[in-house]
Amino acid sequence: QANDYKKRVEDYQTQINVLTGIERSLMGGNMESTIGGAGSIEDATLTSLINKYNEIFLDRQRLSQSAVTSNPIIVNLDASMVNVIGREPIVYDLPVFIPGARKFDLEGNFCDLNATMVHAFPGEEQFTREARKLGINADSLVVVYDNQGVYSAPRAWWMFQSMGHESTFVLDGGLPKWLAEERETASSVAQESAKSGNIRATFHSGKVCDSSYVLKALEAGQATAVDARSAERFYGMAPA
């Protein structure tokens, strides 16, 4: 079993950006797919990565069991985006969702639409207001997924982490893996909770930085910039 874990973590090394909290769109759809071999990895690092993986990703069986029992503590969010760039999108003939999922609108309600940039990070007040509409409480365990595998869900996870809500997970494999395992589905998202949640966002500035911070850090030799976009976007063969 230890060897199996070791092989899996070696395969996941190209996806470590997510595990360290960096926003990115993962290629490959889910964490169980083989991304490609890598070099050896120290046991201490292996253990650390496994622990971090388990802190961030929730397996589908656990969510399925929770959905069946309608656990009020767990809030299931669909963070799918309408505009998928940098990869060939998965297109569905009919709307399909995980039962009980509420819509986490990354392109609207959870963006600062007054900013000059697209998909700008929301402020504390906006995040608190919109998250409460979804019935999210301070003690909620939030599970986020998207319909491309693992594409936009990590951004929602990162938002919750940055706003101080650490009890947040990304569903391993997302909707495609859920469907592949023939689990129960719904034809629409759930309505916003009739009872407002009590979550209170507290922005953690250390998890977010702006362009000026990055430029200064690079000039001072204090940081290394990693471009986590797809190869097509990196090389200018797809929209940035």
Side-chain angles (χ1 to χ4, degrees), residues 72-75 77 102 128-140 190-199:
I73 299 298
I74 295 181
V75 178
L77 301 178
R102 302 166 194 173
T128 297
R129 180 181 67 251
E130 296 301 329
R132 286 183 174 182
K133 288 181 182 179
L134 296 174
I136 300 173
N137 294 311
D139 64 348
S140 292
Q191 298 299 312
E192 292 183 353
S193 176
K195 183 178 180 181
S196 177
N198 61 20
I199 186 175

Side-chain angles (χ1 to χ4, degrees), residues 62-63 65-76 102 141:
R62 286 176 61 192
L63 179 60
Q65 291 171 342
S66 301
V68 171
T69 57
S70 299
N71 189 331
I73 299 298
I74 295 181
V75 178
N76 180 20
R102 302 166 194 173
L141 190 157

Side-chain angles (χ1 to χ4, degrees), residues 55 143 238:
E55 287 176 10
V143 181

Side-chain angles (χ1 to χ4, degrees), residues 152-165:
S152 51
R155 179 177 175 85
W157 172 86
W158 169 61
M159 279 189 179
F160 277 100
Q161 297 293 312
S162 300
M163 290 298 181
H165 194 85

Side-chain angles (χ1 to χ4, degrees), residues 21 34 50 56 62 97 118-119 126-127 131-132 186 191 200 206:
T34 300
I50 291 173
I56 297 174
R62 286 176 61 192
F97 306 92
V118 296
H119 301 151
Q126 179 184 357
F127 189 93
R132 286 183 174 182
Q191 298 299 312
R200 165 62 65 182

Side-chain angles (χ1 to χ4, degrees), residues 77-156:
L77 301 178
D78 185 314
S80 303
M81 298 179 74
V82 175
N83 300 306
V84 176
I85 57 177
R87 62 187 292 180
E88 187 68 28
I90 300 173
V91 179
Y92 297 84
D93 294 331
L94 296 171
V96 58
F97 306 92
I98 293 176
R102 302 166 194 173
K103 178 62 179 176
F104 188 87
D105 187 2
L106 277 171
E107 299 172 281
N109 295 342
F110 287 91
C111 278
D112 180 359
L113 299 179
N114 294 319
T116 57
M117 302 168 289
V118 296
H119 301 151
F121 205 86
E124 287 181 342
E125 183 178 344
Q126 179 184 357
F127 189 93
T128 297
R129 180 181 67 251
E130 296 301 329
R132 286 183 174 182
K133 288 181 182 179
L134 296 174
I136 300 173
N137 294 311
D139 64 348
S140 292
L141 190 157
V142 177
V143 181
V144 192
Y145 76 92
D146 64 66
N147 62 13
Q148 298 300 305
V150 183
Y151 176 77
S152 51
R155 179 177 175 85

Side-chain angles (χ1 to χ4, degrees), residues 26-40:
L26 292 177
M27 299 190 67
N30 66 79
M31 290 294 287
E32 291 182 353
S33 60
T34 300
I35 306 302
S40 61

